[in-house]
Amino acid sequence: MGAWQSLPEDLPPEVRHLVEQLRRLKDATGLSLAALGARTAYSKSSWHRYLNATQPPPRQAVTALCALAGLGGTEAERVGVRWELAVQAWPRPATVPERPAEAGEYEEYEDDPTLPWWEEPPTAPSKASRGPHRMLLAAVLLLLALVLVAVAGVVALG
C-alpha cells in the first residue's frame, strides 16, 4: 500500500481490516480515485474519505468496488460481513459537533440506502412518458396524410 496515507493508530481493528481490504481491492482494479468515482455512484472525494477511514463507506460502495475488482460469491459476502463489523465499530462522536469535522475527526455515519443506477430495477413507462411518443406518432400520421393528399392532387391535375 505504498502511496496510501497511514491510518490513525486508534482505529478499531475491524475498521482497519475493512479499510485495508478496500485499499487492496481498489489497487487491484488499477483505477485512480477519479476513475473509480466515474465507474461507481460515488465521487472521487467520497472514495478518498472511505479509503482513508475518515468516513465509513455505504454498503453499496463496497459492493460496487467488489464488482469492479472481480469479487463475487463467497469472497464478496466476506467483504460484506467485514463491512458490517466495521460499521458497528466505527468511531462516532460522543455528541453532535457544533462545527464541521476537522482532519483526524470522524463525522457521524449514515448509510445511504440508495441503489446505484446499474442495480435499480427497471420500471414500466408511465402514461406521462408515453405522451411524447403518441404526439410524435400523430405528427407522422398527419404528415403522411398530407403527403397522400398532395400526391392525389398532383395526379388529379395531371
Side-chain angles (χ1 to χ4, degrees):
M1 286 194 256
W4 293 108
Q5 70 183 43
S6 58
L7 296 171
E9 292 297 321
D10 61 342
L11 207 57
E14 298 88 352
V15 174
R16 180 176 300 280
H17 291 308
L18 174 69
V19 172
E20 288 172 350
Q21 184 167 26
L22 295 179
R23 287 176 170 189
R24 284 191 298 273
L25 290 172
K26 185 263 177 211
D27 289 343
T29 67
L31 298 172
S32 66
L33 289 179
L36 186 59
R39 303 265 310 263
T40 66
Y42 303 93
S43 68
K44 170 187 172 183
S45 59
S46 292
W47 280 111
H48 183 268
R49 289 190 302 273
Y50 306 153
L51 295 170
N52 287 301
T54 57
Q55 180 182 350
R59 178 184 283 276
Q60 293 85 358
V62 173
T63 302
L65 181 57
C66 286
L68 286 173
L71 286 186
T74 305
E75 292 175 319
E77 287 177 25
R78 286 183 185 147
V79 176
V81 169
R82 185 164 278 170
W83 174 85
E84 289 174 11
L85 294 171
V87 168
Q88 291 173 6
W90 209 281
R92 289 172 171 71
T95 60
V96 176
E98 294 180 15
R99 58 180 172 68
E102 295 178 8
E105 294 181 336
Y106 300 101
E107 298 175 5
E108 183 66 28
Y109 173 70
E110 183 176 320
D111 190 17
D112 181 5
T114 59
L115 289 174
W117 61 267
W118 61 86
E119 290 183 7
E120 290 181 10
T123 57
S126 65
K127 288 183 180 180
S129 67
R130 287 188 296 233
H133 295 93
R134 287 186 180 176
M135 288 177 44
L136 181 61
L137 179 61
V140 168
L141 290 175
L142 184 59
L143 182 61
L144 184 60
L146 213 63
V147 168
L148 287 174
V149 168
V151 167
V154 168
V155 169
L157 290 175

